[in-house]
Amino acid sequence: MNGETSHRAHIGPYRLLSRLGDGGAVHRATGPDGRDVTVRLLPPGAAPDVERMREVLSPYVVDVLDCETAGPRPYVVSRFVPGRPLAEAVAERGPMAGDALCRLAFGLAKALAAVHRTGLVHGGLGPGTVLVVDDSPVVVDFALAADGGAAGDVRAWAATVTFAATGRHDAPAGALPAALRPLVEAAAHSDPGARPTAEDLAEAASRLDLPAVPAARPPVERRTGPAAPVPRPETLTGAETEGDARRAPEMRVALGWARLLTALAVVIAIAVAIIAPIAGLVLSLAAVTLLRLADTRPEDGAQGPAGALGRTLLTVPYAAVPTAAVPLVLVAASAVGGRIDSLRACAFGAGAGAAVLWAAPGVRAPRRRLERMLLPLARRPRLVAAAAAGLGALALVAGVAAMTLDPSFAPMYGLQQTLERSLDRLQHAVGGL
């Protein structure tokens, strides 16, 4: 297919889900393996050094996965980052300050250092190529242009940090916090040779201690055009903890409560799957599917729900492996002494399958969505404390019940008898070896 759209819903082997802005050149897509990716179309004739781009390994830089440069419309594929552009975050929440601004300055410097170590430059660093996710910046669209070399990237760092701190592209250095001002002035020096390296910036930014009071935000212009973009729901958790630094500690506490409540809910779901394997697995599968559907956006169209259902279906074989393997392992272990009830072994397998649906490596979307749904409750101290106590008590009761009650495979009693007979025979066979 050589980069051409095979039909309106595909670019190469990647199925398009939605546009991510930039004039239709950037799309959220699904790869052949079901992975969420971002596909950026490049101008005809573009030939980025993708081999070196893949060598850039940093938590602050998006991972480049694939490319196609041979066709008339080249493209680059990178990991999908569920974040919001810095420009939108500042427009919505106001200028950054305190810990939030320190993290941004440090993360961007570390990102540039990682890019520069491979001999590449970003060439386009700015508020539109920095995504804010989980309280940290992630740099995207690097090495697609080469304007100004490494020194140009350093100057772009200064401009981006200034924008984050003031909400303005043309703010004077005097508008910056005093501790940040010398570093930004050095990075923006008119002589490229006098600017610090990205490594120097990262080292200096790691020692920053900035006040938790943002610079005064400029007045908002009245516009007659389209309204500002609405924050995407999948980035709410990161945005809530980023925004106004005066509320950052409270937001971090709220996010911690939301994560605790989510963990307790997952523990309860696993316990229910052990107590009632069939019903518990069906309930977990339904819950994670609904949470993924809740993350779809209107602009995704029909592909949004279809993609959510598809991602859930992809986790079913993943969950089926421990569901089948755990009982077999427990039965095999009986060969070295002891005996385990066959139905209880199957119930533990169902619990392992439920754990995969909720919390296995690579499966985080349902948990993240549940955290975001619980954030409003987590901001109300009395209510969240009561909810945590209630869920904690319920998790304890469910855990005790899972360890003591006989599992029920209702309504599939025939399956229960078949499993019990099969594992009993296997256990006898293993014991006779």
Side-chain angles (χ1 to χ4, degrees):
M1 285 175 279
N2 294 325
E4 287 291 274
T5 305
S6 58
H7 52 78
R8 294 191 63 181
H10 283 74
I11 293 178
Y14 298 95
R15 185 168 62 86
L16 305 186
L17 300 178
S18 62
R19 291 183 179 180
L20 298 178
D22 202 6
V26 185
H27 298 261
R28 181 177 179 178
T30 299
D33 57 356
R35 183 190 308 190
D36 269 2
V37 298
T38 297
V39 177
R40 170 172 278 280
L41 297 176
L42 303 177
D49 191 342
V50 177
E51 290 304 315
R52 281 200 287 178
M53 291 168 71
R54 287 173 174 162
E55 295 174 6
V56 179
L57 301 176
S58 169
Y60 303 106
V61 184
V62 69
D63 299 326
V64 173
L65 306 175
D66 190 14
C67 73
E68 175 58 73
T69 58
R73 193 68 191 271
Y75 61 85
V76 170
V77 181
S78 58
R79 174 175 56 89
F80 175 71
V81 179
R84 185 166 59 160
L86 175 65
E88 292 183 16
V90 172
E92 175 68 19
R93 299 289 173 181
M96 295 180 178
D99 289 342
L101 186 55
C102 288
R103 286 192 297 271
L104 182 88
F106 174 74
L108 293 184
K110 291 290 286 184
L112 290 180
V115 172
H116 293 172
R117 277 196 296 271
T118 66
L120 299 173
V121 296
H122 189 291
L125 183 70
T129 57
V130 176
L131 302 181
V132 178
V133 58
D134 287 342
D135 302 337
S136 296
V138 178
V139 171
V140 299
D141 295 342
F142 66 95
L144 301 181
D147 297 331
D153 280 351
V154 169
R155 186 181 182 91
W157 175 92
T160 305
V161 171
T162 298
F163 171 81
T166 65
R168 296 168 52 188
H169 292 279
D170 58 350
L176 297 170
L180 180 61
R181 196 176 306 151
L183 192 55
V184 169
E185 288 178 334
H189 199 284
S190 58
D191 178 7
R195 297 170 193 164
T197 65
E199 292 281 5
D200 293 337
L201 285 178
E203 182 180 352
S206 69
R207 300 191 296 268
L208 284 174
D209 184 13
L210 302 178
V213 179
R217 191 175 183 182
V220 178
E221 283 185 38
R222 294 187 177 275
R223 300 180 182 270
T224 58
V230 177
R232 292 177 186 164
E234 78 251 15
T235 63
L236 184 55
T237 298
E240 289 289 353
T241 57
E242 193 63 49
D244 190 340
R246 287 174 294 185
R247 297 187 297 161
E250 292 83 356
M251 290 300 182
R252 285 195 292 271
V253 170
L255 181 57
W257 277 112
R259 286 174 174 166
L260 173 62
L261 295 178
T262 298
L264 291 172
V266 171
V267 169
I268 293 169
I270 294 171
V272 169
I274 295 174
I275 297 168
I278 302 300
L281 284 175
V282 170
L283 287 174
S284 282
L285 192 61
V288 298
T289 301
L290 289 174
L291 288 169
R292 281 194 173 94
L293 288 172
D295 250 354
T296 60
R297 303 187 297 275
E299 61 266 30
D300 293 338
Q303 293 178 349
L309 292 172
R311 285 188 289 276
T312 297
L313 290 176
L314 285 173
T315 63
V316 172
Y318 192 7
V321 172
T323 302
V326 167
L328 295 177
V329 170
L330 292 175
V331 168
S334 67
V336 297
R339 178 179 174 81
I340 185 169
D341 180 77
S342 297
L343 288 182
R344 188 165 295 279
C346 292
F348 288 150
V356 168
L357 291 174
W358 284 102
V363 182
R364 64 175 185 170
R367 296 195 319 277
R368 293 287 298 275
R369 178 61 187 177
L370 188 56
E371 287 172 12
R372 292 192 292 272
M373 292 173 65
L374 291 170
L375 265 178
L377 173 64
R379 295 195 195 98
R380 306 178 67 177
R382 293 183 181 178
L383 286 180
V384 73
L391 278 178
L394 187 57
L396 178 61
V397 170
V400 171
M403 295 297 105
T404 58
L405 296 179
D406 291 332
S408 170
F409 284 74
M412 301 181 69
Y413 295 107
L415 175 63
Q416 174 178 331
Q417 295 172 1
T418 300
L419 290 173
E420 187 172 22
R421 286 195 301 268
S422 299
L423 286 182
D424 280 346
R425 285 197 296 268
L426 178 60
Q427 199 160 184
H428 286 307
V430 170
L433 294 178

